[in-house]
Amino acid sequence: MLNKKLNPKLLWMQFADVLAPRLGLTVKESAVYCYLLRHSLVVGKLRLQFAVMALARILGLSIGAARQAVRRLDELGALRVLERGKTGHLAEMRLPEKIRAIRQGRNGAAGATRAAGEPPAARLETTDFLKTWALRKSIHDRERGACFYCLRRTPANVQCLDHVVPRVRFGRHSYRNLVSCCLQCNSRKGDRPAPDFLRTLYRLGRLTPAELDGRLRALKDLAGGKLRPALPSV
């Protein structure tokens, strides 16, 4: 239970004026966040249990769209998925002012009122890394000239960007979902899940057991926001 009573009017203003625009939430992500918020913090509960299938049906979304919205909200810190199981998800909801990407900066300046100087964390999470050449290059630079999948050195003329979660499965242009790879791996992977493709490379002798373990850990670090590229200066 929460210790303080929430002000629904203030909460809605924080969501509409700060959280949604700052995090770049889509209509579907906004609908999912509002629904989960209404059934948790607004009624005095910090956590709630829900099934993605039921959530999708109530909001008129596809199951894939609802699942992707929950995943993105978790990535952004708007909620924290504590458990996933046959009975559904257990999530801890966060108020707009508690979300790391839009909290005040360390120097005390309010993040919501900053434009050019907004906190790097907020910029990273809301940036489309396919938007400009400089942003695409920052992903290539993060991999330091090696293919993310097979680890071969990759000349600039045969480098490309790959969506770890494919676009057909609602993969985003986020730094958490884009990697630099060689053209061969990009073509072979296709729409397959990245872990399955890495195991295929191992079976073909392209990765050693240690390299396979390292690549699987790197996938988890990527999804967890630990492999951050350097944003180009504005």
Side-chain angles (χ1 to χ4, degrees):
M1 297 292 289
L2 296 174
N3 293 325
K4 64 178 181 178
K5 185 176 181 180
L6 297 177
N7 182 331
K9 182 178 179 180
L10 177 60
L11 183 60
W12 175 252
M13 291 172 63
Q14 289 176 328
F15 168 77
D17 297 342
V18 179
L19 187 143
R22 284 296 300 278
L23 297 186
L25 298 184
T26 65
V27 173
K28 294 176 182 178
E29 290 161 356
S30 296
V32 168
Y33 178 78
C34 287
Y35 178 85
L36 297 178
L37 193 69
R38 180 161 56 87
H39 290 275
S40 58
L41 297 181
V42 172
V43 295
K45 296 191 298 183
L46 183 62
R47 299 177 178 180
L48 79 159
Q49 188 105 22
F50 65 93
V52 171
M53 186 177 296
L55 179 67
R57 183 177 65 252
I58 292 169
L59 297 178
L61 304 174
S62 69
I63 296 175
R67 183 177 291 111
Q68 177 60 25
V70 172
R71 183 182 297 119
R72 175 114 199 288
L73 290 168
D74 186 34
E75 289 177 355
L76 293 172
L79 58 82
R80 181 186 175 198
V81 176
L82 303 174
E83 294 178 9
R84 291 183 177 88
K86 294 182 179 180
T87 58
H89 289 55
L90 175 65
E92 181 178 284
M93 299 301 296
R94 290 174 179 163
L95 292 167
E97 70 266 20
K98 298 296 184 180
I99 297 173
R100 182 177 59 185
I102 60 173
R103 284 187 307 197
Q104 289 185 328
R106 291 183 179 180
N107 60 2
T113 61
R114 298 171 66 178
E118 66 181 352
R123 290 182 59 202
L124 273 174
E125 298 300 342
T126 59
T127 296
D128 179 344
F129 277 84
L130 285 185
K131 193 172 184 179
T132 67
W133 175 86
L135 288 168
R136 294 192 294 272
K137 183 177 183 298
S138 71
I139 299 295
H140 290 303
D141 290 345
R142 183 187 63 190
E143 304 340 337
R144 299 181 180 180
C147 172
F148 181 87
Y149 297 116
C150 71
L151 296 176
R152 289 190 305 174
R153 302 302 299 177
T154 310
N157 63 329
V158 291
Q159 286 177 343
C160 60
L161 294 181
D162 182 69
H163 290 83
V164 174
V165 178
R167 291 294 292 158
V168 296
R169 299 183 182 177
F170 308 101
R172 303 182 66 84
H173 304 326
S174 163
Y175 78 95
R176 297 173 184 251
N177 193 49
L178 287 171
V179 296
S180 176
C181 68
C182 64
L183 289 172
Q184 188 177 28
C185 282
N186 180 266
S187 176
R188 284 183 172 180
K189 174 178 174 289
D191 293 336
R192 280 190 289 172
D196 291 351
F197 176 63
L198 289 171
R199 294 185 181 97
T200 297
L201 291 178
Y202 168 70
R203 289 193 294 270
L204 293 173
R206 298 288 298 278
L207 293 174
T208 66
E211 288 172 338
L212 174 61
D213 289 342
R215 291 299 81 202
L216 293 174
R217 286 196 302 271
L219 278 179
K220 292 182 179 179
D221 289 343
L222 184 74
K226 296 180 181 179
L227 304 183
R228 297 184 175 187
L231 279 174
S233 55
V234 180

